Structure formats: structure tokens, C-alpha cells
Amino acid sequence: MSDADCAVEATGQPWDAQVLHYVNNIHCYYVPVVGDIDGDGVVEIVIGKAVTNNNYTSSLGVYRGTDLYQISTINVPQQVYAGFAGPVAIVRYPNGNGGMQGAIILHCSDYQLRSYDIHGNLLAVSNEMTPCEGAVSVTDFNYDGWPELYVGNVVYDAATLRRLCAGPVNGNKGRCWRGGEGDIANTALPFAADVLGDSIPELICGNTIYGVNIVSRTNVSLNSVTELKTISIPSRIPQDGNVAVADFNKDGRLDVLVVIDVTKSEVLDSTYFYVYDPVTENILFTHGRYTLATGFPLVGDIDGDGNLEIVYIDKQNQASNARVVAVTYDPVEGAHIKWQTPHADESGQTSMTLFDFNQDGIMEIVYRDMENLRIINGSGKSHITGQDTIPFYDLYTKSMYAGTWKEYPVVADVNGDGAAEIVVCGKVGSGLGHVGGQMWIIGGVHQWAPARPVWNQYMYNVTNINKDLTVPTPLFNNSTAFTDPQGVTRRPFNNFLQQATNLDIYGRSFMPLANATIIGDTSILYEDNGMVITYRFCNTGGLALNSPFPITYYANSCQGSVLRTETVNTPLSADGCIDITVRFTAAELAAHPNLDSIVVAVNDNGNGIAQLGGQQQECDVTDNVMSFPTNPCPVRQSTVLADICLGESYVDENFNIAPEDIPEAREYHFFRRIQVGDCDSVILLKLWVHAVSHRQIVETILQGSDYNHHGLFIPQEMLSDIMRIDTSVVLQNIYGCDSVLDITLHIAFPEVDLYLPNAITANNDGQNDVFSISEWAQSQIADFEIHIFNRWGELVFYSPDKGFRWDGRVREDGRVYHNTVYAYIIRFTDLDGNKYVRKGTITVL
């Protein structure tokens, strides 16, 4: 989420799709993982290679997302079995030298984890076997900046693959049967999220919620996985099951969706879905399905009514009876089937994802069965009219034969153009058996909506991973609701297996724009046979400036005759720059009488800059222009800056600008040539025209403080018993233009400040000898604990006493190590029951 300062409101685009790239020899049973693994700004894709006509591989390919160039092949000594459902994950972690290491994590059939860099070099092998077949997923349980992996109810260090702690051997592991008679896998798909509201992630396995306590990455005996809760469920439903999280009842807390197949054999009525509230322990709903097998469901609001749907596929005795099923849940009316549509998938286990590709407010479902890649409108509304129509229909299909297992397509920006693409594996034409085919990159003919450049694991959730493949600490609650100034509430992250687009601070979708800006890094070389101009321009917007884009050179002004139009065939990424050198011959210059200057206009086709000339839209077209004098004078260009209000004229000794020449509020550029001595000079007038503004400001002030901003003063006495004030202020800016401020003032209660030092002397001189918190802070705290670690992550001090006094001694040998930096984590609860986590460093001098 970000301030949309170079963007436009997202609007619906024409719906279309096209193949961008494809590559052969791909195993179709694996979910592609996507991300910038090595941190070089280029996205990579990792996928299994087709080496045998079976549901495993011992070879994986790493491909460049821009063009599917193969960077490397990872040859694994043990097979990576697609029956694990999510055997591949990617993550970045600190390398111990101030940098970051990108790793590809593989869960192999010998129950070992192995990690590789993008060049196929082995980084680590787990020191203990994993507890079960299943997905490998990523989080940071203790918020120390070092991510962990979890398989079932066992946790590993992502950097070393050392086993850190484990839950009960016979406890829940998030397992569910997947497969038919003779082809069965007990696949574990647990998930880590803060479902109890204690600001730290728990590990959810079926109806059991584990607490993960990691104190040391080296002394693993100090770590533990303990059962916090086991939710009572209907007796006919087994205890364990695959897990997803979302806020179904919209109470601001995450609920848990569990999927469970009852038996190994193909018995009807063997699949159940149920959702429980982890805090109240209430079962929100159960949903049984007569089916031989089922896929792992996506969770999202597919029709825009604010309520969540789960969408899954099933397998029946007759393939013609198999369905894609959408179940909707309303907190008042409960759960019911919204619609069903046939599919062609004999395994009955594949999954799907959800994304609003053309930003018309309607989510599209992406699904690949044994015959086609399908993009489905399941909203109940027409993507053309936005009105109610048939319950579901395909927007796009591409013939794509493939055997199926547990895979699904993914959505991400893989080529760096800022827009979403679909990455899908399937067979078109030749390929190995029923598993070997191609990996396809599908994009929009009209550029699709922006998407994040990451999809890092089978159990993908956007709030559990940053765009650079590091793990956020703390985790962001994906059930968070955002309310805009018009009172509209949105929950844009309340989903599972759904990609995210660009969102502003109110959760509204927006389309970032490019912004070509000429900067002052220029030079002019005057020659007898002409002149050479060198200049630089950058893209200061949030979207790539697509190629090809034109540059036009005008005589004297942008309204003058066109000297030349050129085309740049290289796209310019956001924050990217390019240097241009252009030569004008003496004959070209002489062909234009009274030529005083050459005006450069970027993203201009000769009919106007950017959108005015039919080119790619920009957020600011006033900075695309620069003027170069055509004679070698020492005085080349001077700039005049001025500000007026809309409707006024501007007059000085060089310019006389009438109001009709400046009809809207923005920045205008006017050029004038004058003579200074024997030399010509160009004067550039940058005229800002200011309109009467009407802004909305939302601010927060601590209770007990005066408010004195924007010309408004409210004494603290008026703010003592209220939570919010709404008011308006009319101001006049320095240019004499009125502005209206609508101010919403939230009054917040002050948090407890621990006033922590960053260093102690520990020399017994009576000054700054110990690390502690003030008596006042102690008086505001109910519960407290502190952990202090050395640079290797080892615990050197622990206390549950808010009156602790640490003198620098480490608990292993009781010595004080001077000139040493330690990290600490403090968790405490104030007198109102609010929980806090404070992290920092303390230096023993």
C-alpha cells in the first residue's frame, strides 16, 4: 500500500489475453514459484523439469522472468515428489556479512530439506528428517529477522536448515489425504499466522493451534512447539486437515478454514470443509461434499459483496459430474453453494487463484484442468455491463493438455513491466508423456492490472512475504479493514491464494503512471557543421515507460515546426534513466529560418506530449521539455519561477500571459528569446497556477495535548473525553488562493514509553552501569519479559521481572564482554491489557 501520488484511479480495461513467452521440457505437476531470488532486480521463476513420465523430478530449472532464459539447472540427489503438494519455496535471509542470501528450498522424497542458490549450488541440507510429506512454508516466528521454515508441526532455520523445534510426534500436522485408490499422498498443508491476536504468529495444523517459541538458533534445546488450543469439531470430522486463513465473520480477526478428506479409499461423502474462530472457538460453518477427491480451495470475494467465497474442484465417479464449486459464507445467513460449473480434471485435486486483471472491480478465477487454461468470470455480473448475468462463464481459454495433480497457475509481475502475468504449465504439442510440456507466460493485449513480483510457495498469502522475498516482522493482519473518506470499507487482503495489486492507503486499487522527466545533466557541443546535444531523462513515476516511445525536437517552442521525431526502442523502468545524444547538421539548422533554440519533448509524437499526443499516459507532462540554444553563447538559459491563482494574468518585463492562456491549475512552461550583448539567451518561465483547493486531512494526536495546526487551535481540555473531531478550516495560502481543509482528528491514548538506553558502561563506577527501565515505566506495566541475545543469536540473559537490572554479564560464564553489541526483544502488557513488542540493541562499552 502506498500514497498514489503518480497514478490514476483504476478503471476497467478491455478484456483480452495473449501468449508472451513459453519454454519446453517442463513438468506440469509443480506450482511455479516467482521472485527476485538474488536481489538483482530481475524476477526468477523456479519450476520442475520433465525428466521422467511420473509425478516426481530430480531436476528443476531456474528461468529469467523477462524472456524465460534458463539461468541454471538444479540437479537433486533425491527426487522432489509432486505428491508433497508444495515441495518448493523461495526466500531471502541475512547472510551474516551484512547482505542477503536468496535460497530455493526443496522438500525431497527422502524427507530432507535442501537449499540451493539460483546457480544450482547447494547451500544446506537439513540435519533431521521432516515429519511428513507436505508443503514447505516460510515465516519468522520470533521476529528476529531470521526466517524459519515449517513442514507439518516441525520448524527449521531457513539459513542452515537446522531443526529448531517440533510439536508432538502424534500431534496434528495439517495433513489431509490427497489422491485416489492406489495413488495416495497424506499431504501436510499447515499455515503460520497471528490468529490469537497476540502479535506473534502461531502454527495452525487442522483444529490445533501451536505456539512456537524460538529462543536460540544454535542451542535448540531452549526452543519449543506447544499446543495452545485444540478446537472441538463435529465428531464425524477427523481432527487434522489442510489449512487456510481469512476473516470469514468480518470481526477483524482471522478465522481458520480446514479441508479434510476422511479416508484413503475412494468413498463418497469423504470431504469436509469447516471454519472456526480461534479466539471464541466457535465453528462458523461446515460443508460436506460427496466426492472422491478435492482440490485445495482459494478464498476470496469473487462477487464484490464483502462476503468471502471458497472455490474448489471435486472428483466424481463420472468425470462429467465433476464440478468447480463456489461456496459463499454470509455471517448472518451462513454458508451455501453459490454456483457449480463442469471441469475436465481426472485427478480432482488441482487448485486455482483469483485476480482482477482488468481492474473493473470483478475478480477473475484462473484455473487449468486437463484440457484448457480457463479464466472464469464467477462474479454473477457481466464483465462488459457490470450487471447481473449468467452465474459463470469463461473469459478466455487456451487449449492446454496436461495430466493433473495438485498444481495451479500463479499470477505475478514476472517481467518487470508493472503488470500482472499468468505463469502456467501445460502441454501444447509435443512433450514427455502426461507430465511433460511447456511453461507459458500469458499477459494482456491491453496491459493487465499491476501485480506484486512474488509467489513464493504453495500456501501463498500476500501479507506473509515482502516483495523482495524477505519475511515481514511483524506480520500484517490480512483481515484489516480500511475505510476511505467517503465511508466505504474494504478488506483487500482478506483472501488466500490471491495476488495483490496496487492499493492506496484506503485499500483502493490504482493504476500507477509513468513520468518522463528531463533532468539538468546536459551538454551542448557547437561545431562548424552543426551541434551535438546530450541530455538525460528519467522515469520518476511508478510504471515502466513502454517502448517504443517517441522524442520530438521542435524549433523555438513546442508550438514550432518539427525538426525531427525519433523513437526509443528500449522500455524505461520506474526510476530508470537514459542518456540521449543527438546531432543536428548545419543544413538542418539552416532549413529553419529564425531558429533560436531546439526544444526537446520526450514521449511526444509531434502532436503533443504524452496522452495529448496519443502516447502512454503520464502523471505530469510539464517536465518532459527542455530548450537548447542554437548559438554558442555563454548565457544559454535562465529560469523565472512564478505563482498565481487560477483566473489571474501574469505580467513581467518579458511575458504577458492572459488568463485564457492558462485555463487550468497546473505548471506551465513559456519560452522567450532575448539578446544579451552579442549573444542570444532563452528565458524559461515556469508558472505555477494554483486553484482553490479542497483537501481532506486525517491526523492523530495524543490525549492531553493541544492541537495547533493549519490555523486551527483546540485546547487539550476539549480533547479529554472524545475519540474524534471533524471540522473545516478556510485558509489563504501565500499566493492568496483560498483552500478548504476538512480535518478529521483522532485522539489516541499515549503508549507506554520504556525510555531504553542504547549503551551501558558495566564498570561499577555508579553511572550507567546497568540496563533497566524507569520506575515510572514499571508502574505502567502488568506483564513483562525480556530476552537478550549475542550476535550469534544465543540467549545471554532472560528475565520476567519488569524491575530487571542487567549489568552485562552473560548467563553462560557470568563474564562481562566489553565493546560488545547485544540484541534484545521485550514483550509487555500495559495496565489496559494492550500487548507490545520492543526490539533494539544495547552496547556494553
Side-chain angles (χ1 to χ4, degrees), residues 31-47 61-72 74 88-92 101-104 116-120 410-416 421 423 439 441 452-457 467-469:
V31 176
V33 290
V34 176
D36 181 7
I37 301 171
D38 56 354
D40 65 350
V42 178
V43 169
E44 288 85 34
I45 304 172
V46 182
I47 191 67
V62 181
Y63 297 88
R64 190 166 59 197
T66 53
D67 54 8
L68 294 188
Y69 168 79
Q70 186 167 350
I71 298 171
S72 66
I74 301 175
V88 185
I90 52 178
V91 69
R92 297 182 74 216
Q101 175 66 55
I104 301 164
Y116 297 83
D117 66 16
I118 68 164
H119 302 294
V410 304
V411 175
D413 175 17
V414 300
N415 58 12
E421 288 86 34
V423 186
M439 177 168 64
I441 307 297
R452 303 174 83 224
V454 57
W455 193 289
N456 73 316
Q457 54 186 311
K467 291 194 297 184
D468 62 358
L469 280 178

Side-chain angles (χ1 to χ4, degrees), residues 31 82-87 107 132-137 150-153 172-178 186-192 203-206 240-245 256-259 294-297 349 351 406 408 457-460 496-497:
V31 176
F84 282 12
H107 190 186
C132 55
E133 298 177 346
V136 52
S137 298
Y150 55 94
V151 178
N153 62 0
N172 279 6
K173 297 180 177 64
R175 290 186 295 182
C176 174
W177 292 108
R178 287 283 184 264
N186 196 351
T187 298
L189 300 176
F191 197 71
L203 180 59
I204 308 105
C205 297
D240 213 350
N242 296 165
V243 173
V245 297
V256 176
L257 165 66
V258 181
V259 185
T294 186
F296 188 76
Q349 300 166 70
S351 297
K406 301 174 181 66
Y408 58 84
Q457 54 186 311
Y458 184 92
M459 303 289 284
Y460 178 75
F496 207 80
L497 296 189

Side-chain angles (χ1 to χ4, degrees), residues 620-635:
D620 185 355
V621 295
T622 64
D623 51 8
N624 297 49
V625 178
M626 178 168 284
S627 178
F628 297 89
T630 55
N631 61 316
C633 286
V635 180

Side-chain angles (χ1 to χ4, degrees), residues 377-394:
N377 179 0
S379 67
K381 301 176 182 178
S382 166
H383 71 281
I384 298 175
T385 66
Q387 303 300 314
D388 292 346
T389 182
I390 58 177
F392 43 79
Y393 57 91
D394 291 343

Side-chain angles (χ1 to χ4, degrees), residues 201-312:
E202 291 83 32
L203 180 59
I204 308 105
C205 297
N207 66 332
T208 296
I209 300 173
Y210 294 107
V212 178
N213 183 34
I214 299 175
V215 177
S216 173
R217 298 174 60 239
T218 55
N219 186 359
V220 298
S221 64
L222 301 176
N223 308 327
S224 62
V225 175
T226 57
E227 181 181 324
L228 301 178
K229 285 187 176 184
T230 293
I231 310 301
S232 297
I233 58 177
S235 59
R236 69 182 184 277
I237 303 176
Q239 296 289 303
D240 213 350
N242 296 165
V243 173
V245 297
D247 181 9
F248 282 86
N249 57 7
K250 295 186 287 190
D251 63 354
R253 300 190 303 259
L254 290 174
D255 306 307
V256 176
L257 165 66
V258 181
V259 185
I260 179 66
D261 285 350
V262 175
T263 176
K264 300 179 185 180
S265 62
E266 295 184 349
V267 177
L268 293 179
D269 194 19
S270 59
T271 296
Y272 293 93
F273 301 82
Y274 66 91
V275 174
Y276 63 84
D277 184 326
V279 175
T280 66
E281 303 186 21
N282 292 328
I283 304 295
L284 301 184
F285 70 88
T286 62
H287 171 69
R289 187 69 177 173
Y290 287 83
T291 178
L292 307 181
T294 186
F296 188 76
L298 69 82
V299 179
D301 180 8
I302 64 174
D303 54 6
D305 66 352
N307 296 323
L308 291 178
E309 283 79 34
I310 60 174
V311 185
Y312 64 93

Side-chain angles (χ1 to χ4, degrees), residues 358-406:
N358 58 332
Q359 292 206 319
D360 60 356
I362 299 175
M363 292 288 174
E364 288 85 39
I365 299 171
V366 186
Y367 173 49
R368 192 221 73 201
D369 57 21
M370 292 184 63
E371 298 179 355
N372 294 288
L373 170 69
R374 301 171 60 187
I375 302 178
I376 304 169
N377 179 0
S379 67
K381 301 176 182 178
S382 166
H383 71 281
I384 298 175
T385 66
Q387 303 300 314
D388 292 346
T389 182
I390 58 177
F392 43 79
Y393 57 91
D394 291 343
L395 288 162
Y396 172 82
T397 60
K398 176 176 175 53
S399 178
M400 192 174 292
Y401 168 77
T404 61
W405 193 241
K406 301 174 181 66

